[in-house]
Amino acid sequence: MIAVETQASVAFLRDKLQDAGPLTFVVTPAAEIEALQHEKLGVSLARRAEARVPEELSCRRLANLSPRNRLQMPLLTISGITFALTWPSTAALVVTAWCIFTLICVTLLKAFCVTATLVSPRRLGKQSPLPLKDLPVVSIMVPLHKEERIAARLVRRMKRLDYPREKLDVLFVVEENDDETRSAIALAQPLPQGYRVIVVPDGHPKTKPRALNYALDFCRGDIVGIYDAEDAPEADQLLKITAAFDAAPPDVVCLQGCLDYYNPRDNWLSRCFTTEYAAWFRLILPGLSALRLAVPLGGTTLFVRRHALDEIGAWDAHNVTEDADLGIRLARHGWRTELVPTTTMEEANCHTWPWIKQRSRWIKGYMVTYIVHMRRPFRLWKELGMRQFAGFQIFFLASISQFLLAPLLWSFWLLPFGFTHPMLGALDHTTTWTLIYTFIACEVINLSASLIAVSKPHLRHLMPWAVFMPLYFPLATAAAFKAAYELALKPFYWDKTAHGFSDEQV
């Protein structure tokens, strides 16, 4: 017996399964079929969700390292310390040279991205909405975990989406043991047509990408989008996205929208965080796309064609920065991501320790993503090409190096103020001043990027705060050390960010 939603499905399946012998079809409401799938197949689908990505491109192997591999990191650390103690001057020069080299690489990439964004017109996102009959079905997944504080507000925001209800498929993805969030969503009932709650069976790891992988099997759309619990997307966002996909060339399978914060005035940290995000989503990511480099995706306001997700195995359930990893795997398959000028408002994490915890998870994910994709560097080079491979190295390796080694670079800021420096004995006068001018040039580029990013009318009030960004970024170094510690001891641990503390109502 086969349960189907419509009589049309009966005719379709009877034709496809005509060699299977006598079959009995029963037309059953979609909700009952879905409930039966969860009941009978939920556990097996959950296990599948944990390993959809091929093992060679997944970080789940980090949990099953051989004794030889487990010894590599301690041995490398011991070797580095021994080298530094034996030849301290040489070690200091090598590390300093690497710091300066990666600083220049990261700054030049940022400058190229800003320039490419400013000179390359946006091709997508400005098209007129498609006629109603041509609009595709869009599935939106919103993974939730311990979000009872914000659940009702989220449902209200999703209801504001301006898209035909018969072509909108919204899935609130909730963990099986998260009774509080499920109850909060239940209080927001009745949900409109096309809005559903997907309960993810308990399992390991308990991560956002695992939940997305499970819910993907229940999506009905050809386009799959992701929102976070605290998101407030523009009402016409899906109309812009579907029009952009219709106008995009076939190799563009992913569209990334912009993120902004609705609470930038909460405190100094929220102002700096908003400035950073403005530069990231309005300059850096569009620049990477314009330069035809791999785009490390944001985890929300992200829309992907369903066939691409199925082909690459969707998300790596064990990667705590699953979005960036997804962007690299799409690029390895020859597909492209473009940015669309549509904005989703979020809640800025504006308390220091929660900010560090959130950023440490992102940086740990970047570390894991780099390790995974560099397992076979020559294969990565072949699939990405030389230019994208170089961009990958700068974006991940150089950036991670900057986070971890930033204190060494900060020490050189003592020089313009007349203080001595341990490295002065190894550097001649010309080299010393070249370093000073290099640091100043890098800071000017960073400041310029921040000022350009907040030049839009609704962000212009942040311009005076752009000068304080050099005091903001050191927090990422604290996060990077935490990330390195967790990478060694608990690489799959998901440091949950709480939401719903801002008084802003969007």
Side-chain angles (χ1 to χ4, degrees), residues 96-97 142 157 160-161 187 211 345 396:
T96 301
V142 189
R157 291 167 177 170
R160 294 204 301 248
L161 290 171
L187 292 175
M345 305 301 291
F396 285 93

Side-chain angles (χ1 to χ4, degrees), residues 256-325:
Q256 171 76 67
C258 297
L259 298 182
D260 210 336
Y261 288 131
Y262 50 72
N263 60 322
R265 299 178 188 269
D266 279 5
N267 56 25
W268 169 79
L269 187 57
S270 66
R271 290 181 175 92
C272 291
F273 204 170
T274 305
T275 301
E276 180 192 14
Y277 251 41
W280 184 251
F281 284 97
R282 289 179 169 83
L283 296 175
I284 305 303
L285 293 187
L288 290 172
S289 178
L291 294 170
R292 297 295 182 95
L293 298 176
V295 177
L297 302 169
T300 178
T301 316
L302 169 70
F303 303 87
V304 191
R305 290 197 181 276
R306 174 64 183 268
H307 75 83
L309 285 173
D310 288 337
E311 187 167 333
I312 67 173
W315 291 270
D316 184 355
H318 292 73
N319 194 320
V320 295
T321 311
E322 81 294 336
D323 39 16
D325 171 70

Side-chain angles (χ1 to χ4, degrees), residues 114 283 442-454:
V114 172
L283 296 175
C442 290
E443 288 303 320
V444 168
I445 291 173
N446 289 331
L447 176 60
S448 300
S450 297
L451 291 172
I452 294 171
V454 297

Side-chain angles (χ1 to χ4, degrees), residues 109 113 252 254-257 280-281 283-299 301-302 304 321-332 335-340 366 369 373 384 388-389 391-392 395-396:
L109 180 61
C113 286
V252 175
C254 181
L255 297 178
Q256 171 76 67
W280 184 251
F281 284 97
L283 296 175
I284 305 303
L285 293 187
L288 290 172
S289 178
L291 294 170
R292 297 295 182 95
L293 298 176
V295 177
L297 302 169
T301 316
L302 169 70
V304 191
T321 311
E322 81 294 336
D323 39 16
D325 171 70
L326 179 67
I328 302 304
R329 285 190 289 117
L330 288 173
R332 294 185 68 162
W335 289 321
R336 292 197 296 118
T337 297
E338 291 212 10
L339 277 286
V340 176
Y366 277 23
T369 298
H373 290 281
L384 290 181
Q388 289 198 99
F389 182 84
F392 174 83
F395 190 90
F396 285 93

Side-chain angles (χ1 to χ4, degrees), residues 123-128 130 240-250 252 255 305 338:
R123 298 188 308 102
L124 299 179
K126 299 181 180 179
Q127 293 78 14
S128 299
L130 297 174
K240 291 180 179 178
I241 292 296
T242 51
F245 266 125
D246 184 69
V252 175
L255 297 178
R305 290 197 181 276
E338 291 212 10

Side-chain angles (χ1 to χ4, degrees), residues 99-308:
C99 283
I100 296 168
F101 173 70
T102 54
L103 172 66
I104 293 172
C105 288
V106 169
T107 306
L108 286 177
L109 180 61
K110 178 179 287 189
F112 287 144
C113 286
V114 172
T115 302
T117 299
L118 296 178
V119 303
S120 302
R122 291 279 185 95
R123 298 188 308 102
L124 299 179
K126 299 181 180 179
Q127 293 78 14
S128 299
L130 297 174
L132 178 61
K133 63 181 179 61
D134 295 331
L135 288 173
V137 176
V138 176
S139 289
I140 298 295
M141 293 193 287
V142 189
L144 304 168
H145 185 56
K146 304 300 181 183
E147 298 289 3
E148 63 277 5
R149 182 191 297 267
I150 205 171
R153 195 185 308 178
L154 167 68
V155 173
R156 184 177 69 250
R157 291 167 177 170
M158 292 297 107
K159 287 180 180 180
R160 294 204 301 248
L161 290 171
D162 181 15
Y163 204 76
R165 288 288 176 250
E166 66 274 14
K167 297 192 175 184
L168 182 59
D169 179 35
V170 178
L171 292 72
F172 298 108
V173 186
V174 186
E175 296 289 341
E176 183 178 41
N177 59 1
D178 189 0
D179 296 330
E180 295 83 359
T181 302
R182 293 166 63 185
S183 298
I185 295 177
L187 292 175
Q189 301 277 13
L191 294 177
Q193 173 190 350
Y195 288 58
R196 296 174 285 153
V197 175
I198 301 295
V199 179
V200 182
D202 196 24
H204 180 78
K206 198 177 296 295
T207 59
K208 172 183 174 181
R210 175 183 178 270
L212 291 175
N213 282 345
Y214 180 84
L216 182 62
D217 288 323
F218 298 91
C219 288
R220 299 169 182 168
D222 296 324
I223 296 172
V224 178
I226 311 298
Y227 288 127
D228 281 341
E230 76 276 22
D231 285 356
E234 292 177 340
D236 64 346
Q237 189 166 96
L238 300 185
L239 295 174
K240 291 180 179 178
I241 292 296
T242 51
F245 266 125
D246 184 69
D251 63 335
V252 175
V253 301
C254 181
L255 297 178
Q256 171 76 67
C258 297
L259 298 182
D260 210 336
Y261 288 131
Y262 50 72
N263 60 322
R265 299 178 188 269
D266 279 5
N267 56 25
W268 169 79
L269 187 57
S270 66
R271 290 181 175 92
C272 291
F273 204 170
T274 305
T275 301
E276 180 192 14
Y277 251 41
W280 184 251
F281 284 97
R282 289 179 169 83
L283 296 175
I284 305 303
L285 293 187
L288 290 172
S289 178
L291 294 170
R292 297 295 182 95
L293 298 176
V295 177
L297 302 169
T300 178
T301 316
L302 169 70
F303 303 87
V304 191
R305 290 197 181 276
R306 174 64 183 268
H307 75 83

